[in-house]
Amino acid sequence: MGSHWQRRLPHSVGGLALGLGALKTIEMLLRGDGAGPGAPGLSWRIPATFVLMAGYVAVLASGGVHYVASTALFCFLFFLLLAPVRDMKAVTGLALLSAGYAAAVFAIFTRFFFINL
């Protein structure tokens, strides 16, 4: 079993990301995007990303879903929310990017830092 900081690091990083996302959400909502109600602007996507991040942290904390699967899904949905695309080639690229990123982070943390994700 790893040291205390090794067990808590993934939760701490997730909490930090959630906190930073909350600050960005508040800033974007206060500033506004000028899109107006019902327009396809950022005003609905910013709170949606905050909810997505909260769900991701909850899934990681529960330990019920493998890190690579949950992180790949989170990244894919996050990318789609912030940069919506319509063509299949871009969606496929985002899916591959998300899966590659999740696998790379998992490998780096488990192989080089010896942190069990």
Side-chain angles (χ1 to χ4, degrees), residues 13-47:
V13 171
L16 179 63
L18 187 59
L20 292 173
L23 291 175
K24 188 65 176 173
T25 300
I26 292 168
E27 182 230 341
M28 291 294 288
L29 291 175
L30 290 176
R31 183 169 44 108
D33 63 1
L42 287 176
S43 58
W44 70 269
R45 285 190 247 155
I46 298 298

PDB file of all heavy atoms in Angstrom, residues 13-47:
ATOM      1  N   VAL A  13      -6.267  16.068  -7.054  1.00  0.00           N
ATOM      2  CA  VAL A  13      -6.213  16.648  -8.396  1.00  0.00           C
ATOM      3  C   VAL A  13      -7.623  16.816  -8.951  1.00  0.00           C
ATOM      4  O   VAL A  13      -7.949  17.841  -9.543  1.00  0.00           O
ATOM      5  CB  VAL A  13      -5.333  15.784  -9.326  1.00  0.00           C
ATOM      6  CG1 VAL A  13      -5.434  16.236 -10.762  1.00  0.00           C
ATOM      7  CG2 VAL A  13      -3.886  15.831  -8.866  1.00  0.00           C
ATOM      8  N   GLY A  14      -8.471  15.835  -8.746  1.00  0.00           N
ATOM      9  CA  GLY A  14      -9.863  15.940  -9.191  1.00  0.00           C
ATOM     10  C   GLY A  14     -10.597  17.076  -8.499  1.00  0.00           C
ATOM     11  O   GLY A  14     -11.332  17.830  -9.131  1.00  0.00           O
ATOM     12  N   GLY A  15     -10.383  17.214  -7.203  1.00  0.00           N
ATOM     13  CA  GLY A  15     -11.006  18.308  -6.459  1.00  0.00           C
ATOM     14  C   GLY A  15     -10.507  19.667  -6.908  1.00  0.00           C
ATOM     15  O   GLY A  15     -11.282  20.619  -7.016  1.00  0.00           O
ATOM     16  N   LEU A  16      -9.213  19.749  -7.196  1.00  0.00           N
ATOM     17  CA  LEU A  16      -8.644  21.003  -7.702  1.00  0.00           C
ATOM     18  C   LEU A  16      -9.244  21.356  -9.056  1.00  0.00           C
ATOM     19  O   LEU A  16      -9.621  22.506  -9.301  1.00  0.00           O
ATOM     20  CB  LEU A  16      -7.127  20.884  -7.809  1.00  0.00           C
ATOM     21  CG  LEU A  16      -6.393  22.105  -8.354  1.00  0.00           C
ATOM     22  CD1 LEU A  16      -6.567  23.308  -7.439  1.00  0.00           C
ATOM     23  CD2 LEU A  16      -4.917  21.785  -8.526  1.00  0.00           C
ATOM     24  N   ALA A  17      -9.369  20.379  -9.937  1.00  0.00           N
ATOM     25  CA  ALA A  17      -9.974  20.620 -11.254  1.00  0.00           C
ATOM     26  C   ALA A  17     -11.427  21.067 -11.110  1.00  0.00           C
ATOM     27  O   ALA A  17     -11.880  21.981 -11.806  1.00  0.00           O
ATOM     28  CB  ALA A  17      -9.894  19.365 -12.113  1.00  0.00           C
ATOM     29  N   LEU A  18     -12.145  20.449 -10.191  1.00  0.00           N
ATOM     30  CA  LEU A  18     -13.536  20.831  -9.955  1.00  0.00           C
ATOM     31  C   LEU A  18     -13.625  22.255  -9.421  1.00  0.00           C
ATOM     32  O   LEU A  18     -14.469  23.043  -9.863  1.00  0.00           O
ATOM     33  CB  LEU A  18     -14.180  19.846  -8.980  1.00  0.00           C
ATOM     34  CG  LEU A  18     -15.664  19.994  -8.738  1.00  0.00           C
ATOM     35  CD1 LEU A  18     -16.430  19.846 -10.038  1.00  0.00           C
ATOM     36  CD2 LEU A  18     -16.128  18.954  -7.743  1.00  0.00           C
ATOM     37  N   GLY A  19     -12.750  22.609  -8.491  1.00  0.00           N
ATOM     38  CA  GLY A  19     -12.744  23.975  -7.948  1.00  0.00           C
ATOM     39  C   GLY A  19     -12.411  25.011  -8.999  1.00  0.00           C
ATOM     40  O   GLY A  19     -13.055  26.069  -9.072  1.00  0.00           O
ATOM     41  N   LEU A  20     -11.412  24.735  -9.830  1.00  0.00           N
ATOM     42  CA  LEU A  20     -11.059  25.666 -10.895  1.00  0.00           C
ATOM     43  C   LEU A  20     -12.185  25.782 -11.921  1.00  0.00           C
ATOM     44  O   LEU A  20     -12.458  26.875 -12.428  1.00  0.00           O
ATOM     45  CB  LEU A  20      -9.759  25.236 -11.575  1.00  0.00           C
ATOM     46  CG  LEU A  20      -8.505  25.351 -10.715  1.00  0.00           C
ATOM     47  CD1 LEU A  20      -7.305  24.741 -11.442  1.00  0.00           C
ATOM     48  CD2 LEU A  20      -8.222  26.787 -10.325  1.00  0.00           C
ATOM     49  N   GLY A  21     -12.838  24.670 -12.190  1.00  0.00           N
ATOM     50  CA  GLY A  21     -13.985  24.700 -13.100  1.00  0.00           C
ATOM     51  C   GLY A  21     -15.124  25.535 -12.540  1.00  0.00           C
ATOM     52  O   GLY A  21     -15.787  26.271 -13.272  1.00  0.00           O
ATOM     53  N   ALA A  22     -15.336  25.435 -11.227  1.00  0.00           N
ATOM     54  CA  ALA A  22     -16.385  26.242 -10.591  1.00  0.00           C
ATOM     55  C   ALA A  22     -16.062  27.729 -10.687  1.00  0.00           C
ATOM     56  O   ALA A  22     -16.942  28.550 -10.981  1.00  0.00           O
ATOM     57  CB  ALA A  22     -16.547  25.824  -9.133  1.00  0.00           C
ATOM     58  N   LEU A  23     -14.803  28.084 -10.457  1.00  0.00           N
ATOM     59  CA  LEU A  23     -14.415  29.493 -10.577  1.00  0.00           C
ATOM     60  C   LEU A  23     -14.606  30.003 -11.997  1.00  0.00           C
ATOM     61  O   LEU A  23     -15.095  31.120 -12.208  1.00  0.00           O
ATOM     62  CB  LEU A  23     -12.959  29.686 -10.136  1.00  0.00           C
ATOM     63  CG  LEU A  23     -12.672  29.508  -8.656  1.00  0.00           C
ATOM     64  CD1 LEU A  23     -11.173  29.604  -8.383  1.00  0.00           C
ATOM     65  CD2 LEU A  23     -13.431  30.555  -7.854  1.00  0.00           C
ATOM     66  N   LYS A  24     -14.230  29.210 -12.976  1.00  0.00           N
ATOM     67  CA  LYS A  24     -14.400  29.605 -14.381  1.00  0.00           C
ATOM     68  C   LYS A  24     -15.878  29.713 -14.729  1.00  0.00           C
ATOM     69  O   LYS A  24     -16.284  30.616 -15.460  1.00  0.00           O
ATOM     70  CB  LYS A  24     -13.701  28.590 -15.295  1.00  0.00           C
ATOM     71  CG  LYS A  24     -13.662  29.010 -16.718  1.00  0.00           C
ATOM     72  CD  LYS A  24     -12.824  30.261 -16.876  1.00  0.00           C
ATOM     73  CE  LYS A  24     -12.705  30.637 -18.343  1.00  0.00           C
ATOM     74  NZ  LYS A  24     -12.049  31.930 -18.503  1.00  0.00           N
ATOM     75  N   THR A  25     -16.690  28.813 -14.201  1.00  0.00           N
ATOM     76  CA  THR A  25     -18.126  28.868 -14.445  1.00  0.00           C
ATOM     77  C   THR A  25     -18.714  30.163 -13.913  1.00  0.00           C
ATOM     78  O   THR A  25     -19.466  30.848 -14.609  1.00  0.00           O
ATOM     79  CB  THR A  25     -18.828  27.668 -13.771  1.00  0.00           C
ATOM     80  OG1 THR A  25     -18.299  26.468 -14.326  1.00  0.00           O
ATOM     81  CG2 THR A  25     -20.320  27.722 -13.971  1.00  0.00           C
ATOM     82  N   ILE A  26     -18.350  30.515 -12.682  1.00  0.00           N
ATOM     83  CA  ILE A  26     -18.862  31.742 -12.085  1.00  0.00           C
ATOM     84  C   ILE A  26     -18.430  32.953 -12.899  1.00  0.00           C
ATOM     85  O   ILE A  26     -19.229  33.845 -13.190  1.00  0.00           O
ATOM     86  CB  ILE A  26     -18.398  31.847 -10.611  1.00  0.00           C
ATOM     87  CG1 ILE A  26     -19.084  30.768  -9.778  1.00  0.00           C
ATOM     88  CG2 ILE A  26     -18.669  33.231 -10.055  1.00  0.00           C
ATOM     89  CD1 ILE A  26     -18.495  30.586  -8.400  1.00  0.00           C
ATOM     90  N   GLU A  27     -17.164  32.974 -13.304  1.00  0.00           N
ATOM     91  CA  GLU A  27     -16.663  34.099 -14.093  1.00  0.00           C
ATOM     92  C   GLU A  27     -17.393  34.222 -15.426  1.00  0.00           C
ATOM     93  O   GLU A  27     -17.813  35.316 -15.817  1.00  0.00           O
ATOM     94  CB  GLU A  27     -15.160  33.930 -14.347  1.00  0.00           C
ATOM     95  CG  GLU A  27     -14.556  35.080 -15.121  1.00  0.00           C
ATOM     96  CD  GLU A  27     -13.737  34.641 -16.303  1.00  0.00           C
ATOM     97  OE1 GLU A  27     -13.324  33.477 -16.375  1.00  0.00           O
ATOM     98  OE2 GLU A  27     -13.532  35.485 -17.185  1.00  0.00           O
ATOM     99  N   MET A  28     -17.595  33.100 -16.124  1.00  0.00           N
ATOM    100  CA  MET A  28     -18.276  33.135 -17.419  1.00  0.00           C
ATOM    101  C   MET A  28     -19.736  33.550 -17.275  1.00  0.00           C
ATOM    102  O   MET A  28     -20.257  34.282 -18.111  1.00  0.00           O
ATOM    103  CB  MET A  28     -18.197  31.762 -18.097  1.00  0.00           C
ATOM    104  CG  MET A  28     -16.811  31.363 -18.555  1.00  0.00           C
ATOM    105  SD  MET A  28     -16.166  32.392 -19.866  1.00  0.00           S
ATOM    106  CE  MET A  28     -17.169  31.852 -21.222  1.00  0.00           C
ATOM    107  N   LEU A  29     -20.393  33.089 -16.223  1.00  0.00           N
ATOM    108  CA  LEU A  29     -21.790  33.453 -16.035  1.00  0.00           C
ATOM    109  C   LEU A  29     -21.940  34.925 -15.660  1.00  0.00           C
ATOM    110  O   LEU A  29     -22.884  35.589 -16.095  1.00  0.00           O
ATOM    111  CB  LEU A  29     -22.435  32.550 -14.987  1.00  0.00           C
ATOM    112  CG  LEU A  29     -22.623  31.092 -15.417  1.00  0.00           C
ATOM    113  CD1 LEU A  29     -23.163  30.265 -14.257  1.00  0.00           C
ATOM    114  CD2 LEU A  29     -23.541  30.992 -16.622  1.00  0.00           C
ATOM    115  N   LEU A  30     -21.009  35.451 -14.870  1.00  0.00           N
ATOM    116  CA  LEU A  30     -21.068  36.867 -14.505  1.00  0.00           C
ATOM    117  C   LEU A  30     -20.744  37.762 -15.698  1.00  0.00           C
ATOM    118  O   LEU A  30     -21.354  38.811 -15.884  1.00  0.00           O
ATOM    119  CB  LEU A  30     -20.112  37.158 -13.347  1.00  0.00           C
ATOM    120  CG  LEU A  30     -20.508  36.575 -11.999  1.00  0.00           C
ATOM    121  CD1 LEU A  30     -19.436  36.856 -10.955  1.00  0.00           C
ATOM    122  CD2 LEU A  30     -21.847  37.136 -11.540  1.00  0.00           C
ATOM    123  N   ARG A  31     -19.789  37.348 -16.502  1.00  0.00           N
ATOM    124  CA  ARG A  31     -19.379  38.128 -17.667  1.00  0.00           C
ATOM    125  C   ARG A  31     -20.397  37.998 -18.783  1.00  0.00           C
ATOM    126  O   ARG A  31     -20.667  38.942 -19.498  1.00  0.00           O
ATOM    127  CB  ARG A  31     -18.000  37.673 -18.143  1.00  0.00           C
ATOM    128  CG  ARG A  31     -17.472  38.472 -19.307  1.00  0.00           C
ATOM    129  CD  ARG A  31     -16.015  38.187 -19.587  1.00  0.00           C
ATOM    130  NE  ARG A  31     -15.683  36.780 -19.546  1.00  0.00           N
ATOM    131  CZ  ARG A  31     -15.392  36.045 -20.611  1.00  0.00           C
ATOM    132  NH1 ARG A  31     -15.405  36.581 -21.791  1.00  0.00           N
ATOM    133  NH2 ARG A  31     -15.087  34.786 -20.483  1.00  0.00           N
ATOM    134  N   GLY A  32     -20.951  36.810 -18.940  1.00  0.00           N
ATOM    135  CA  GLY A  32     -21.908  36.556 -20.018  1.00  0.00           C
ATOM    136  C   GLY A  32     -21.185  36.394 -21.338  1.00  0.00           C
ATOM    137  O   GLY A  32     -20.050  36.794 -21.513  1.00  0.00           O
ATOM    138  N   ASP A  33     -21.870  35.770 -22.288  1.00  0.00           N
ATOM    139  CA  ASP A  33     -21.273  35.590 -23.599  1.00  0.00           C
ATOM    140  C   ASP A  33     -21.999  36.368 -24.686  1.00  0.00           C
ATOM    141  O   ASP A  33     -21.671  36.258 -25.848  1.00  0.00           O
ATOM    142  CB  ASP A  33     -21.186  34.100 -23.961  1.00  0.00           C
ATOM    143  CG  ASP A  33     -22.549  33.452 -24.070  1.00  0.00           C
ATOM    144  OD1 ASP A  33     -23.552  34.160 -23.890  1.00  0.00           O
ATOM    145  OD2 ASP A  33     -22.618  32.252 -24.349  1.00  0.00           O
ATOM    146  N   GLY A  34     -23.009  37.137 -24.290  1.00  0.00           N
ATOM    147  CA  GLY A  34     -23.727  37.962 -25.252  1.00  0.00           C
ATOM    148  C   GLY A  34     -24.619  37.177 -26.191  1.00  0.00           C
ATOM    149  O   GLY A  34     -25.127  37.720 -27.153  1.00  0.00           O
ATOM    150  N   ALA A  35     -24.812  35.916 -25.943  1.00  0.00           N
ATOM    151  CA  ALA A  35     -25.597  35.093 -26.854  1.00  0.00           C
ATOM    152  C   ALA A  35     -27.097  35.252 -26.636  1.00  0.00           C
ATOM    153  O   ALA A  35     -27.869  35.005 -27.527  1.00  0.00           O
ATOM    154  CB  ALA A  35     -25.201  33.627 -26.700  1.00  0.00           C
ATOM    155  N   GLY A  36     -27.494  35.654 -25.454  1.00  0.00           N
ATOM    156  CA  GLY A  36     -28.913  35.802 -25.166  1.00  0.00           C
ATOM    157  C   GLY A  36     -29.550  34.466 -24.831  1.00  0.00           C
ATOM    158  O   GLY A  36     -28.977  33.409 -25.050  1.00  0.00           O
ATOM    159  N   PRO A  37     -30.770  34.517 -24.294  1.00  0.00           N
ATOM    160  CA  PRO A  37     -31.436  33.280 -23.894  1.00  0.00           C
ATOM    161  C   PRO A  37     -31.767  32.392 -25.089  1.00  0.00           C
ATOM    162  O   PRO A  37     -32.242  32.855 -26.109  1.00  0.00           O
ATOM    163  CB  PRO A  37     -32.704  33.763 -23.190  1.00  0.00           C
ATOM    164  CG  PRO A  37     -32.781  35.224 -23.374  1.00  0.00           C
ATOM    165  CD  PRO A  37     -31.525  35.700 -24.016  1.00  0.00           C
ATOM    166  N   GLY A  38     -31.479  31.117 -24.937  1.00  0.00           N
ATOM    167  CA  GLY A  38     -31.802  30.149 -25.970  1.00  0.00           C
ATOM    168  C   GLY A  38     -30.837  30.124 -27.144  1.00  0.00           C
ATOM    169  O   GLY A  38     -30.985  29.312 -28.035  1.00  0.00           O
ATOM    170  N   ALA A  39     -29.863  31.013 -27.167  1.00  0.00           N
ATOM    171  CA  ALA A  39     -28.902  31.046 -28.269  1.00  0.00           C
ATOM    172  C   ALA A  39     -27.855  29.954 -28.066  1.00  0.00           C
ATOM    173  O   ALA A  39     -27.613  29.517 -26.942  1.00  0.00           O
ATOM    174  CB  ALA A  39     -28.248  32.419 -28.353  1.00  0.00           C
ATOM    175  N   PRO A  40     -27.208  29.538 -29.127  1.00  0.00           N
ATOM    176  CA  PRO A  40     -26.232  28.443 -29.011  1.00  0.00           C
ATOM    177  C   PRO A  40     -24.874  28.899 -28.497  1.00  0.00           C
ATOM    178  O   PRO A  40     -23.855  28.498 -29.012  1.00  0.00           O
ATOM    179  CB  PRO A  40     -26.148  27.914 -30.444  1.00  0.00           C
ATOM    180  CG  PRO A  40     -26.420  29.103 -31.284  1.00  0.00           C
ATOM    181  CD  PRO A  40     -27.406  29.924 -30.509  1.00  0.00           C
ATOM    182  N   GLY A  41     -24.843  29.741 -27.503  1.00  0.00           N
ATOM    183  CA  GLY A  41     -23.588  30.238 -26.955  1.00  0.00           C
ATOM    184  C   GLY A  41     -23.062  29.367 -25.841  1.00  0.00           C
ATOM    185  O   GLY A  41     -23.476  28.232 -25.648  1.00  0.00           O
ATOM    186  N   LEU A  42     -22.123  29.913 -25.098  1.00  0.00           N
ATOM    187  CA  LEU A  42     -21.494  29.172 -24.008  1.00  0.00           C
ATOM    188  C   LEU A  42     -22.328  29.133 -22.736  1.00  0.00           C
ATOM    189  O   LEU A  42     -22.042  28.350 -21.849  1.00  0.00           O
ATOM    190  CB  LEU A  42     -20.135  29.788 -23.685  1.00  0.00           C
ATOM    191  CG  LEU A  42     -19.017  29.561 -24.682  1.00  0.00           C
ATOM    192  CD1 LEU A  42     -17.770  30.316 -24.241  1.00  0.00           C
ATOM    193  CD2 LEU A  42     -18.703  28.097 -24.816  1.00  0.00           C
ATOM    194  N   SER A  43     -23.343  29.966 -22.622  1.00  0.00           N
ATOM    195  CA  SER A  43     -24.046  30.100 -21.354  1.00  0.00           C
ATOM    196  C   SER A  43     -24.623  28.784 -20.833  1.00  0.00           C
ATOM    197  O   SER A  43     -24.660  28.566 -19.637  1.00  0.00           O
ATOM    198  CB  SER A  43     -25.145  31.154 -21.452  1.00  0.00           C
ATOM    199  OG  SER A  43     -26.057  30.817 -22.472  1.00  0.00           O
ATOM    200  N   TRP A  44     -25.053  27.875 -21.676  1.00  0.00           N
ATOM    201  CA  TRP A  44     -25.565  26.593 -21.191  1.00  0.00           C
ATOM    202  C   TRP A  44     -24.455  25.558 -21.088  1.00  0.00           C
ATOM    203  O   TRP A  44     -24.554  24.619 -20.303  1.00  0.00           O
ATOM    204  CB  TRP A  44     -26.687  26.082 -22.089  1.00  0.00           C
ATOM    205  CG  TRP A  44     -26.224  25.633 -23.440  1.00  0.00           C
ATOM    206  CD1 TRP A  44     -26.133  26.398 -24.564  1.00  0.00           C
ATOM    207  CD2 TRP A  44     -25.778  24.333 -23.803  1.00  0.00           C
ATOM    208  NE1 TRP A  44     -25.648  25.651 -25.608  1.00  0.00           N
ATOM    209  CE2 TRP A  44     -25.423  24.373 -25.168  1.00  0.00           C
ATOM    210  CE3 TRP A  44     -25.623  23.132 -23.119  1.00  0.00           C
ATOM    211  CZ2 TRP A  44     -24.931  23.273 -25.857  1.00  0.00           C
ATOM    212  CZ3 TRP A  44     -25.138  22.026 -23.803  1.00  0.00           C
ATOM    213  CH2 TRP A  44     -24.801  22.108 -25.151  1.00  0.00           C
ATOM    214  N   ARG A  45     -23.392  25.719 -21.884  1.00  0.00           N
ATOM    215  CA  ARG A  45     -22.320  24.719 -21.878  1.00  0.00           C
ATOM    216  C   ARG A  45     -21.424  24.822 -20.652  1.00  0.00           C
ATOM    217  O   ARG A  45     -20.912  23.801 -20.189  1.00  0.00           O
ATOM    218  CB  ARG A  45     -21.473  24.837 -23.144  1.00  0.00           C
ATOM    219  CG  ARG A  45     -22.182  24.275 -24.337  1.00  0.00           C
ATOM    220  CD  ARG A  45     -21.248  24.180 -25.494  1.00  0.00           C
ATOM    221  NE  ARG A  45     -21.714  25.130 -26.500  1.00  0.00           N
ATOM    222  CZ  ARG A  45     -20.955  25.671 -27.411  1.00  0.00           C
ATOM    223  NH1 ARG A  45     -19.685  25.387 -27.458  1.00  0.00           N
ATOM    224  NH2 ARG A  45     -21.460  26.491 -28.285  1.00  0.00           N
ATOM    225  N   ILE A  46     -21.210  26.008 -20.159  1.00  0.00           N
ATOM    226  CA  ILE A  46     -20.327  26.175 -18.993  1.00  0.00           C
ATOM    227  C   ILE A  46     -20.906  25.458 -17.770  1.00  0.00           C
ATOM    228  O   ILE A  46     -20.206  24.658 -17.140  1.00  0.00           O
ATOM    229  CB  ILE A  46     -20.035  27.660 -18.713  1.00  0.00           C
ATOM    230  CG1 ILE A  46     -19.299  28.289 -19.893  1.00  0.00           C
ATOM    231  CG2 ILE A  46     -19.263  27.832 -17.424  1.00  0.00           C
ATOM    232  CD1 ILE A  46     -17.949  27.679 -20.203  1.00  0.00           C
ATOM    233  N   PRO A  47     -22.155  25.690 -17.394  1.00  0.00           N
ATOM    234  CA  PRO A  47     -22.699  24.913 -16.265  1.00  0.00           C
ATOM    235  C   PRO A  47     -22.734  23.410 -16.545  1.00  0.00           C
ATOM    236  O   PRO A  47     -22.537  22.604 -15.640  1.00  0.00           O
ATOM    237  CB  PRO A  47     -24.108  25.465 -16.082  1.00  0.00           C
ATOM    238  CG  PRO A  47     -24.097  26.791 -16.727  1.00  0.00           C
ATOM    239  CD  PRO A  47     -23.103  26.714 -17.844  1.00  0.00           C
TER     240      PRO A  47
END
